[in-house]
Amino acid sequence: MWEPAAPAFVHALPALLDIYTAAMSPPPDQLAGRRTIMEHHARNPGFRAVVALSSDGRTALGFAYGFHGGGGQWWHDVVTTELRSRDPEAADRWFADSFEVAEVHVRPEHQGRGIGRRLLRGVTAHRPERTAVLSTHTGPTVARRLYASYGFTDVLAEFRFPGSPDRPFAIMAAPLPLRGPGRRRSAGRSRAWLWTG
């Protein structure tokens, strides 16, 4: 696992977007916008990214990143506005001091090997926030099972983001530190990724 600083994360975005594309199959015309969003996220307070590397350190197999959530951030504002209208106490409990897990992706050919678990643990480890929050597709997906296994619960089960009314999402939250299967003490940092862009 490699934990790049924000500038290194931005430099690595071409390779990370390849992982995102392989995992999510987005329309090609959305990739430029996704890159801009990720660059913007890297400037948010408390930004952290982790990248899973191949054993030789030359290939990125997956990545995750997040940051301290707060007012003025699009996802945070859209979600908390809806949650406050339904359950103000839940909005305060889960979002008053939260770490937003923005992305967790693993190349399809490397899924099912525990990489997603390591990424989720790595990106949320030793965070100062009280909670972690995220959104994921509804339904019985592998991602939802992963998040549930670490204590994430639905706070909004069928949420529809502006601009995507046909795709329901689950907004999930968990207390930090995460508790779950396979939780181990970190063995320390690995060597840096050798990719140079």
Side-chain angles (χ1 to χ4, degrees):
M1 299 292 272
W2 172 48
E3 186 175 327
F9 172 83
V10 170
H11 181 71
L13 275 176
L16 301 181
L17 281 167
D18 284 346
I19 296 170
Y20 174 84
T21 300
M24 299 297 290
S25 300
D29 62 344
Q30 291 183 3
L31 288 176
R34 177 55 50 186
R35 179 177 180 148
T36 300
I37 290 167
M38 290 179 173
E39 288 173 351
H40 178 74
H41 284 167
R43 295 192 296 266
N44 283 348
F47 175 83
R48 174 185 285 163
V50 290
V51 179
L53 304 174
S54 60
S55 59
D56 64 5
R58 294 183 182 276
T59 305
L61 308 179
F63 74 99
Y65 77 86
F67 43 83
H68 183 80
Q73 297 168 356
W74 182 83
W75 187 92
H76 181 274
D77 290 348
V78 168
V79 169
T80 56
T81 296
E82 179 66 21
L83 188 55
R84 281 193 208 310
S85 73
R86 298 184 193 190
D87 187 348
E89 288 183 17
D92 291 338
R93 179 171 60 253
W94 294 114
F95 288 87
D97 182 26
S98 63
F99 177 72
E100 181 184 322
V101 180
E103 305 283 352
V104 179
H105 300 293
V106 177
R107 288 188 181 279
E109 65 270 25
H110 295 285
Q111 292 174 4
R113 300 178 186 177
I115 295 171
R117 289 187 179 283
R118 291 194 301 273
L119 289 168
L120 182 61
R121 285 195 312 262
V123 80
T124 60
H126 311 295
R127 292 299 306 185
E129 293 88 358
R130 288 188 300 112
T131 63
V133 295
L134 56 82
S135 57
T136 189
H137 294 293
T138 58
T141 66
V142 172
R144 278 177 62 82
R145 286 193 299 275
L146 168 65
Y147 301 138
S149 75
Y150 280 93
F152 282 87
T153 58
D154 288 357
V155 294
L156 289 171
E158 291 277 332
F159 184 73
R160 296 175 191 272
F161 285 100
S164 299
D166 57 332
R167 300 190 70 189
F169 286 83
I171 308 302
M172 303 182 80
L176 288 175
L178 294 182
R179 305 267 180 215
R183 187 163 184 236
R184 299 181 188 133
R185 200 165 68 82
S186 171
R189 296 180 126 180
S190 67
R191 62 189 175 275
W193 184 17
L194 301 176
W195 183 82
T196 58

